[in-house]
Amino acid sequence: MKYWMIIIVFLMGTACSDLNSVPQQYLQPAKMQDVLWDMMLADRFIEQYVKYNQTLDVEKERFTRYAEVFAVHNIDYDQFKESMDYYVSRPDQLKAIYVDLNKKREAVKLQREQEQQELEEAQLKEQDSLLNLQNDTLKTGKDSSFIEQADSLLNHNDSAKLKSAEPDSVKKIINSLKDSITKVQPASRPLSQ
């Protein structure tokens, strides 16, 4: 009687370990996850762009995108289908793949949110610097940094023209530009100062 129990325990342990290993003829979990991820990206592209283009056949585009995913991963439809059938018959393994996919999706979502926040912060910083520049311009009546930039641009971009021109005419052009810049007054004061 004891021998049978040992054999049953051994077989149960073997069966449990087999549930976690995938036969070589099927896509291994990591590769299956990568394929499914790329297929999800293809679906997202189709839902966001192709679906609204009335000249494209959505199902044909989906087939084309999936074929591209299979080509990238060096597999074909039959390999994918057989592997998917295998995982569907083993819900615990399929669930593990989808849990990892969901973690990856959440990480990408978080990264996009952080990038969006950084972009918004950079835009606010740029707006603040423009407001500060405008306030400085209102206080001094002229924008010296803009004049310096104009001088710099004239010196760098048109250096060949300026070198061939007479020195006095160049000075007149620069002075004329400076005068016209300093005479420009803002149309209205900013609301927040």
Side-chain angles (χ1 to χ4, degrees):
M1 191 98 157
K2 292 182 182 181
Y3 295 110
W4 283 105
M5 292 189 85
I6 294 172
I7 292 173
I8 290 173
V9 170
F10 175 76
L11 290 175
M12 286 178 60
T14 306
C16 290
S17 66
D18 286 344
L19 286 178
N20 294 328
S21 65
V22 177
Q24 291 299 316
Q25 70 262 30
Y26 303 116
L27 298 177
Q28 297 301 301
K31 185 161 186 163
M32 188 67 173
Q33 181 181 336
D34 290 343
V35 171
L36 288 171
W37 177 258
D38 288 345
M39 290 176 77
M40 288 169 48
L41 292 178
D43 282 336
R44 184 172 181 201
F45 173 79
I46 289 166
E47 290 298 316
Q48 291 183 348
Y49 302 105
V50 175
K51 188 175 182 180
Y52 299 105
N53 187 336
Q54 308 243 339
T55 62
L56 297 174
D57 179 7
V58 173
E59 289 310 311
K60 183 180 178 184
E61 286 297 317
R62 188 179 315 275
F63 178 78
T64 301
R65 301 292 176 221
Y66 285 174
E68 290 171 354
V69 169
F70 297 152
V72 165
H73 293 283
N74 297 317
I75 62 170
D76 59 24
Y77 173 77
D78 292 332
Q79 287 173 300
F80 173 75
K81 178 149 180 20
E82 289 171 7
S83 296
M84 194 64 189
D85 290 343
Y86 170 82
Y87 285 107
V88 167
S89 71
R90 286 157 181 82
D92 57 326
Q93 290 179 342
L94 187 60
K95 181 181 177 183
I97 290 172
Y98 277 108
V99 165
D100 288 344
L101 282 171
N102 193 44
K103 287 178 185 176
K104 186 174 182 176
R105 185 184 61 81
E106 289 297 320
V108 168
K109 181 181 175 185
L110 180 62
Q111 181 181 0
R112 285 187 184 142
E113 289 171 355
Q114 288 173 341
E115 289 171 355
Q116 182 64 31
Q117 184 178 2
E118 289 171 4
L119 178 65
E120 289 171 1
E121 289 172 359
Q123 289 172 340
L124 285 174
K125 188 176 179 180
E126 183 178 345
Q127 287 174 352
D128 286 346
S129 66
L130 289 174
L131 282 175
N132 289 337
L133 179 63
Q134 188 175 13
N135 288 338
D136 290 346
T137 302
L138 289 173
K139 288 177 187 173
T140 61
K142 63 182 180 178
D143 186 356
S144 60
S145 65
F146 186 73
I147 294 170
E148 291 169 5
Q149 289 176 0
D151 283 344
S152 174
L153 287 174
L154 282 173
N155 289 333
H156 288 88
N157 291 339
D158 292 333
S159 60
K161 291 180 185 176
L162 292 176
K163 286 180 183 176
S164 65
E166 295 291 323
D168 290 334
S169 64
V170 173
K171 288 179 185 177
K172 288 179 185 177
I173 292 170
I174 293 174
N175 288 333
S176 172
L177 181 60
K178 286 181 183 178
D179 290 340
S180 63
I181 291 171
T182 57
K183 290 178 184 176
V184 174
Q185 296 295 324
S188 64
R189 291 183 175 261
L191 295 176
S192 63
Q193 291 185 358

